[in-house]
Amino acid sequence: MKTRTTETLVGAFVLLGFVALFFLALKAANLGNFSTEPTYAISARFDNIGGLKVRAPVRSAGVTVGRVTGITLDNKSFQGVVSMEIRNGFRFPKDSSAKILTAGLLGDQYVGLVPGIDDEHPLAAGATITQTQSALVLENLIGQMLFNRAAEAGSTGGETK
C-alpha cells in the first residue's frame, strides 16, 4: 500500500514537471498569451526591421498592448511592412509613432508605440503609422565605427593621437 502511494506521488510530480516544461516552452516561443480580448489591426512601414519576429510584443511605456501578426516586404517601396494587433482597450492617437526597440543589450526586438498628441482622432482599424524609426543593427554600428577609425588613421598617415 505504501509503495502504491509513493508511486502515485512520483507520477504526479513527473506530470507536474512536464506541464511546467510545456508552459516554459510556450513562453520561450512567445506563444504563452492565451488572451481572447478583441483587437484591431494596424500596420507600420520600416526601412529596416532588424531581427523583429512575428508574435513579438507591441509595447507602449513598457506595457504590452498587442502583438506583431505579420511581416512582409512592399515590392514597390522595398520597405518592411509590420502588421500588428492592438487590444481594444488601448486607443492611440492618429499621430502616434512606432519604433523597433531591443529589450536589453542583446534581447529580443519589439515594436514600441509612442502616443501622439491628437486625442480627438484615434488610430482606426486598418490604419498605417507613417512616423517610424527603424531598428538599430548592432553589426552596422560596429562596422561604421571601425570604418571611421580606419578613415581617421588613414588621414593622419597612420599616426596615433
Side-chain angles (χ1 to χ4, degrees), residues 44-128:
R45 295 174 174 270
F46 296 94
D47 291 329
N48 186 348
I49 64 160
L52 187 69
K53 296 180 174 82
V54 174
R55 302 274 315 148
V58 177
R59 295 184 179 141
S60 182
V63 177
T64 301
V65 296
R67 293 272 173 205
V68 172
T69 57
I71 300 172
T72 58
L73 180 68
D74 183 357
N75 288 329
K76 293 180 182 174
S77 66
F78 296 104
Q79 289 181 313
V81 179
V82 177
S83 302
M84 299 167 268
E85 291 282 332
I86 307 297
R87 291 187 289 180
N88 275 348
F90 301 103
R91 289 290 175 178
F92 290 89
K94 189 176 184 178
D95 61 343
S96 297
S97 63
K99 301 177 182 181
I100 297 179
L101 303 169
T102 304
L105 185 60
L106 298 174
D108 287 338
Q109 291 187 322
Y110 64 94
V111 176
L113 289 181
V114 179
I117 58 172
D118 186 4
D119 289 334
E120 295 179 13
H121 301 96
L123 277 172
T128 300

Side-chain angles (χ1 to χ4, degrees), residues 22-33:
F22 176 73
F23 281 107
L24 181 65
L26 286 177
K27 189 73 172 166
N30 208 2
L31 298 173
N33 188 2

